[in-house]
Amino acid sequence: MLFRSCLALPGALPVLNLEAVKKAMLFGNAVGATINKASIFDRKSYFYPDSPKAYQISQFTIPIVEHGNLTIDFEDGSSKTVRIARAHMEEDAGKLVHHGNSITDSDYSLVDYNRTGTPLLEIVSEPDMRSAKEAVAYMEKLRAILQYVEISDCRMEEGSLRCDANVSVRPIGQKELGTKTEIKNINSFRGVERAIEYEALRQAELLEEGGKIIQETRTWDEKEGITKSMRSKEEANDYRYFPEPDLVPFTVSKEYIEEIRKTLPELPDARKERYMRCFGLSSEDAVMMTNDKDRSDYFEAVVKAGADPKAAVNWLMGEFASQLSTDGIEIAAAPVTAENLAELLKLISKGTISGKIAKKVFADMWKDGGGAEEIVRVKGLTQISDTGELEGLVANVIAEHPQAVADFKAGKKKAVGALVGQIMKVTKGQANPQVVNQLLAKKLSEL
């Protein structure tokens, strides 16, 4: 815990946790920010049901981290730098659990104080993002960095990563930013995108109708897909910040800052460049394989076990990702190990099984566990590549489907697909489609 004064119990005083300071410094180093050697805590006064002390210990005057940069990547290979204004430590408040139709229309609310006093690192960006998609890309990159340096598992649905989005619009050509609103209670990346898009459109329509944007805090209602007003937005002076009397200012030496910097692991950008250089991945694929640490570690394990990197990417973003989504689990809980997936991919590359059969084998691996080779052996799923065996099947299919042959001769090249389909049907998908196509092309050309 960052502080022991969770509930403001009589006699309880706050105590700073050194581990929280280390994590904040790690993040600062990861984004190339300035680590302030001297830093202080402030008392932020406000009344809200989830804050039993009626104040929060935070950093306002001198945060521990300032002036960093974070590069976000896009699908077309381009990138953009978002400035990090500051990252400051503070204590968490409690959690309000609303019961009713929606957040703003609740029959009653309960307060969970279990997380009060736990450490938070609030990261504030400059207004450098110009769309909801850019905001999501920023959040994804931020999450990756926090995961790589092991500050947090960043599971938004569990509250270990939260987003408050500030949104403002301005007429085309105007340099000054418009009045902003803050959106709270967003607990998914999809929610971030939807909330920003809705709020930007709401503000634009209001201005076009001659209305005025007021600075306020709004909440995102996931069910209704709209933002709703919660309260007017406070200014800094409304919080009556003053130095926290129960925590003395603290300092960190230049040597200690460097010591922390040396513990930084390989970060997402460095890993992305290595994947492009060593595995031949495109920029887009490298981003997908590095923007989540668990997926990146799994990918590395699959490649280390002998699988082709590109094939591993295709499966992880295709069949594998689909199954994770269906089961609603994280990759760390996947029943198929990296070694077993690599074994499956090697069977495909050697021609032992086809891609279609591989999906069936994968389904069995996911359901019952076990290795791909054993499943293929027990169920007799080896791909038929023997030309002698396939030539007889090709001859039979040509004889039994004269119309498809006639269509092919008439210039309808797609007719070959129908013939291939018949052979795959007869062999229950086990015929090697490449060999079948070659044999069919040869036989048809002789007719």
Side-chain angles (χ1 to χ4, degrees), residues 323 327 335-336 360-370 375 379:
Q323 195 61 59
D327 289 3
V336 175
K360 296 178 182 178
V361 176
F362 178 75
D364 287 341
M365 292 166 64
W366 194 275
K367 180 182 178 182
D368 303 318
I375 292 172
K379 295 195 171 185

Coordinates of all heavy atoms in Angstrom, one line a residue, residues 323 327 335-336 360-370 375 379:
Q323 N -10.5 -17.8 -30.6 CA -10.9 -18.7 -29.5 C -10.8 -18.1 -28.2 O -11.6 -18.3 -27.3 CB -10.0 -20.0 -29.6 CG -10.5 -21.1 -28.7 CD -11.8 -21.7 -29.2 OE1 -12.0 -22.1 -30.3 NE2 -12.8 -21.6 -28.3
D327 N -14.0 -17.7 -25.6 CA -13.9 -18.2 -24.2 C -13.8 -17.0 -23.2 O -14.0 -17.3 -21.9 CB -12.7 -19.1 -24.0 CG -13.0 -20.4 -24.7 OD1 -14.0 -20.6 -25.4 OD2 -12.1 -21.3 -24.6
P335 N -5.4 -22.9 -23.1 CA -5.0 -24.3 -22.8 C -4.0 -24.8 -23.8 O -3.4 -25.9 -23.5 CB -6.4 -25.0 -23.0 CG -7.2 -24.1 -23.9 CD -6.7 -22.7 -23.6
V336 N -3.7 -24.2 -24.9 CA -2.7 -24.6 -25.9 C -1.4 -23.9 -25.6 O -1.3 -22.7 -25.6 CB -3.2 -24.3 -27.3 CG1 -2.1 -24.7 -28.3 CG2 -4.5 -25.1 -27.6
K360 N -9.1 -28.2 -37.3 CA -9.8 -29.3 -36.5 C -8.8 -29.8 -35.4 O -9.3 -30.0 -34.3 CB -10.1 -30.4 -37.4 CG -11.1 -30.1 -38.5 CD -11.4 -31.3 -39.4 CE -12.4 -31.0 -40.6 NZ -12.6 -32.2 -41.4
V361 N -7.6 -29.9 -35.7 CA -6.6 -30.4 -34.7 C -6.5 -29.3 -33.6 O -6.4 -29.7 -32.4 CB -5.2 -30.6 -35.4 CG1 -4.2 -31.0 -34.3 CG2 -5.3 -31.7 -36.4
F362 N -6.5 -28.1 -34.0 CA -6.3 -27.0 -33.0 C -7.5 -27.0 -32.1 O -7.4 -26.8 -30.9 CB -6.3 -25.6 -33.7 CG -6.2 -24.5 -32.8 CD1 -5.0 -24.2 -32.1 CD2 -7.3 -23.6 -32.6 CE1 -5.0 -23.1 -31.2 CE2 -7.3 -22.6 -31.7 CZ -6.1 -22.3 -31.1
A363 N -8.7 -27.2 -32.6 CA -9.9 -27.3 -31.8 C -9.8 -28.4 -30.8 O -10.2 -28.2 -29.6 CB -11.2 -27.5 -32.7
D364 N -9.3 -29.6 -31.2 CA -9.1 -30.7 -30.2 C -8.0 -30.3 -29.2 O -8.2 -30.7 -28.0 CB -8.6 -31.9 -31.0 CG -9.8 -32.6 -31.8 OD1 -11.0 -32.2 -31.5 OD2 -9.5 -33.3 -32.7
M365 N -7.0 -29.7 -29.6 CA -5.9 -29.2 -28.7 C -6.5 -28.3 -27.6 O -6.2 -28.4 -26.4 CB -4.8 -28.6 -29.4 CG -4.0 -29.5 -30.3 SD -2.9 -28.6 -31.5 CE -1.8 -27.8 -30.4
W366 N -7.3 -27.4 -28.1 CA -7.9 -26.4 -27.2 C -8.9 -27.0 -26.2 O -8.9 -26.7 -25.0 CB -8.7 -25.3 -28.0 CG -9.0 -24.1 -27.2 CD1 -10.1 -23.9 -26.4 CD2 -8.3 -22.9 -27.2 NE1 -10.1 -22.7 -25.9 CE2 -9.0 -22.0 -26.3 CE3 -7.1 -22.4 -27.8 CZ2 -8.5 -20.7 -26.0 CZ3 -6.6 -21.1 -27.5 CH2 -7.4 -20.3 -26.6
K367 N -9.6 -28.0 -26.7 CA -10.6 -28.7 -25.8 C -10.0 -29.7 -24.9 O -10.4 -29.7 -23.7 CB -11.6 -29.4 -26.7 CG -12.7 -30.1 -25.9 CD -13.7 -30.8 -26.9 CE -14.8 -31.5 -26.1 NZ -15.7 -32.3 -27.0
D368 N -9.1 -30.5 -25.4 CA -8.6 -31.6 -24.6 C -7.1 -31.6 -24.2 O -6.6 -32.4 -23.5 CB -8.9 -33.0 -25.3 CG -10.4 -33.1 -25.6 OD1 -11.2 -32.8 -24.7 OD2 -10.7 -33.6 -26.7
G369 N -6.4 -30.6 -24.8 CA -5.0 -30.5 -24.5 C -4.3 -31.5 -25.4 O -4.8 -32.1 -26.3
G370 N -3.0 -31.7 -25.2 CA -2.2 -32.7 -25.9 C -1.5 -32.0 -27.1 O -1.8 -30.9 -27.5
I375 N -2.5 -36.1 -31.9 CA -3.9 -36.0 -32.4 C -4.0 -36.5 -33.8 O -4.9 -37.2 -34.2 CB -4.4 -34.6 -32.2 CG1 -4.6 -34.3 -30.7 CG2 -5.8 -34.4 -32.9 CD1 -4.9 -32.8 -30.4
K379 N -6.1 -39.9 -34.9 CA -7.3 -39.7 -35.7 C -7.1 -39.9 -37.2 O -8.0 -39.7 -37.9 CB -7.8 -38.3 -35.4 CG -8.3 -38.1 -34.0 CD -9.2 -36.9 -33.8 CE -9.8 -36.8 -32.5 NZ -10.8 -35.7 -32.3

